[in-house]
């Protein structure tokens, strides 16, 4: 199975919006074999290969929570990771969602009466991750809006125009979410709250009408990006060059440090990618820039082969 | 000409969203006659009939600002007012927009090189009213989103589904905007800011996709309504009965005290109107409830007859 990278916040959608991107971690699981974890790709040498591995924790959590006592717990799991860790692209959400979806597929195969709905998978994923921003698009695909209220979270799918392209510029320095979270204030002036309500409305208007030009000029956020900017050397220059090269808007990806440029044409996106890379290089920071379209489809296990 | 009532805020769109409703103040202006103001309808006996009348102030302001020195300043102005004053239905915005649009039509007739664009009329209207929430839909029609930024306000038209109906329940007690403004805090916890950004996004999603059922359950606001509720006797009961009768959501109209129930069918809207009236009556408050669809078209002078 493949679990997409996700970009949360999307500027003004702080703590409530996210989108799945066409960059995947692949996970394959076999049963009827001794327990073994094989990891290739991003951070392969840093990740645990025992039951404390985040994917395995999620599978076990799901099987425990649904009481799937007849599902075997020894698997060979192979992972090919492409989502960089600590870059604001939802690598942790991808592990959680991958594990939970695999766990539910195992239940479906070995003890189908225990298998749970996607809504329940999402609830567990949100609980494990601590917030719905990345796990929701990682599970459902597309762009998602999560509205918290007193009794839970309402989740909505947001239509995405087919000409939307993102540049995801990933600089080679890690910024841990913890650190980037700490700098965000716990209270805000009324003007910032009103600004973000207006801008998140504007974002949905642009996405649902397909008129991405609505994002030009003044689209942005006042709840987190201004506070996170100082943690990201080169932020202002990367943003300026991206806009100059034709990006409609530039936002942080998650808590950063990756930056997301919003483009309405693929060829512009590649030009923007070059400029963002260049801007970071001038700050002495290596950067890998990708051009992605959003992922439209949900994360599912395509094939279950019983071992 | 007819200038519509408007409902600002729309719940989470505090200080940035508004909608024009099919309830109008009519204004007719004749030139070539001695100055005279005739007012019928709402608050007719309370409104000044000299140059301090809000409509006249707006006409004069526009003519002064554009330097329209050759436009005659003596008019007979007849007004038929239907928008209740001090009820949160934009009566003040209606006077400003009416006056400015009439002033610009006078310029067009007598000194066309001075006439200004709709965008400039909107700028003056916003300046006179102090905020764009009501004057924008009063001028442009439909639902509008005003995004303030450091250099001005970006205004966007929001598509409205044709099955959207509003109940506007107007209780017979006045709540002055000033008073209702004072109770709104100047700063908010992060959770309230995030809540409103998510909910305003949800509102735009419901309007643009036409899926009004997205407003069911938990749609609302945490920036102003909870603070204004105590100023409005019966608020909780009116809301509860409206929801029970089939309203998708209930929000304050502007700063209140009028309340707006969102409905997806006209027959449900009438039932909701009855229930809201009943609920207020049980609190000893008389109430007039109307069912409106939004206005789609902008406010214009249909005919200019030179006196």
């Amino acid at each position: 199975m493949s679990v997409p990278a996700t970009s949360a916040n999307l500027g003004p959608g702080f703590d409530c919006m996210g989108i799945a991107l066409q960059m995947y971690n692949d996970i394959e699981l076999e049963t009827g074999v001794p327990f073994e974890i094989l990891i290739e790709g991003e951070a392969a040498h840093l990740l645990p290969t025992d039951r404390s591995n985040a994917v395995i924790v999620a599978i076990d959590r799901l099987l425990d929570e649904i009481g799937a006592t007849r599902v075997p717990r020894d698997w060979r799991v192979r992972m090919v990771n492409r989502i960089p860790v600590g870059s604001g692209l939802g690598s942790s959400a991808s592990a959680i969602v991958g594990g939970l979806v695999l766990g539910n597929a195992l239940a479906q195969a070995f003890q189908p009466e225990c298998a749970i709905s996607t809504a329940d998978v999402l609830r567990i994923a949100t609980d494990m991750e601590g917030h719905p921003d990345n796990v929701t698009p990682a599970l459902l695909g597309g762009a998602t809006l999560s509205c918290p209220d007193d009794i839970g979270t309402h989740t909505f799918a947001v239509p995405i125009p087919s000409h939307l392209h993102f540049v995801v510029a990933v600089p080679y320095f890690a910024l841990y979410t913890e650190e980037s979270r700490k700098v965000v204030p716990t209270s805000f002036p009324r003007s910032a709250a009103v600004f973000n309500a207006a801008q998140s409305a504007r974002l949905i208007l642009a996405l649902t009408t397909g008129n991405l030009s609505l994002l030009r000029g003044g689209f942005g956020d006042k709840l987190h990006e201004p506070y996170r900017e100082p943690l990201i050397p080169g932020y202002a220059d990367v943003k300026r060059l991206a806009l100059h090269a034709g990006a409609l808007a530039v936002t942080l990806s998650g808590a950063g440090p990756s930056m997301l440029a919003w483009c309405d044409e693929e060829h512009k996106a590649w030009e923007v990618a070059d400029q963002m890379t260049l801007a970071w290089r001038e700050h002495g920071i290596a950067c890998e820039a990708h051009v992605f379209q959003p992922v439209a489809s949900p994360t599912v296990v395509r094939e279950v082969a019983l071992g």
Side-chain angles (χ1 to χ4, degrees), chain A residues 97-115:
Chain A
V97 165
L100 294 177
V101 171
L102 274 173
N104 207 33
L106 285 169
Q108 198 74 58
F110 289 94
Q111 201 170 346
E113 72 280 12
C114 287

Side-chain angles (χ1 to χ4, degrees), chain A residues 152-221:
Chain A
T153 300
H154 293 261
T155 301
F156 305 101
V158 180
I160 310 165
S162 59
H163 56 301
L164 176 60
H165 288 76
F166 287 109
V167 179
V168 182
V170 185
Y172 278 94
F173 65 92
L175 172 64
Y176 290 96
T177 305
E178 191 77 359
E179 186 186 352
S180 187
R181 186 91 204 166
K182 269 193 304 202
V183 298
V184 177
T186 54
S187 74
F188 294 93
R190 183 163 67 203
S191 59
V194 169
F195 181 89
N196 265 53
Q199 298 287 334
S200 68
R202 176 181 182 170
L203 173 54
I204 298 291
L205 188 63
L207 291 174
T208 54
T209 61
N211 183 2
L212 294 174
S213 72
L214 300 185
L215 302 180
R216 268 192 205 290
F219 172 71
D221 161 86

Side-chain angles (χ1 to χ4, degrees), chain A residues 21-148:
Chain A
L21 300 170
Q22 288 172 339
M23 168 195 267
Y24 298 95
N25 281 357
D26 296 335
I27 317 174
E28 281 176 26
L29 180 148
E30 268 176 274
T31 57
V33 292
F35 183 85
E36 186 181 16
I37 298 182
L38 305 163
I39 308 178
E40 291 172 52
E42 288 287 333
H45 58 292
L46 297 173
L47 299 172
T49 54
D50 57 17
R51 289 205 97 88
S52 72
N53 179 285
V55 172
I56 307 302
V57 167
I59 305 178
D60 281 336
R61 162 78 183 261
L62 185 119
L63 295 176
D64 291 346
E65 188 150 333
I66 66 179
T69 49
R70 297 200 307 276
V71 174
R73 298 282 182 127
D74 283 332
W75 321 294
R76 180 182 299 127
V77 182
R78 294 168 197 268
M79 307 181 195
V80 180
N81 291 345
R82 298 186 193 87
I83 307 171
V85 173
S87 292
L89 289 166
S91 63
S92 145
S94 145
I96 290 169
V97 165
L100 294 177
V101 171
L102 274 173
N104 207 33
L106 285 169
Q108 198 74 58
F110 289 94
Q111 201 170 346
E113 72 280 12
C114 287
I116 56 175
S117 67
T118 301
D120 282 333
V121 171
L122 181 58
R123 186 183 46 74
I124 302 174
T126 301
D127 184 55
M128 291 184 75
E129 175 85 335
H131 60 89
D133 320 2
N134 291 89
V135 293
T136 309
L139 180 63
L140 305 179
T144 57
L145 168 65
S146 302
C147 293

Side-chain angles (χ1 to χ4, degrees), chain A residues 224-280:
Chain A
H224 67 114
E225 296 205 2
Y227 306 98
R228 288 168 165 172
E229 179 178 340
L231 303 178
I232 300 169
Y235 176 99
D237 287 336
V238 173
K239 183 166 181 170
R240 188 173 50 77
L241 264 72
L243 292 174
H244 190 256
L248 300 160
V250 179
T251 55
L252 279 185
S253 185
S258 296
M259 290 172 75
L260 206 62
W262 300 62
C263 300
D264 54 4
E265 288 179 51
E266 189 177 353
H267 76 92
K268 264 190 234 164
W270 286 110
E271 172 64 20
V272 168
D274 287 346
Q275 292 298 313
M276 293 173 87
T277 310
L278 190 68
W280 253 320

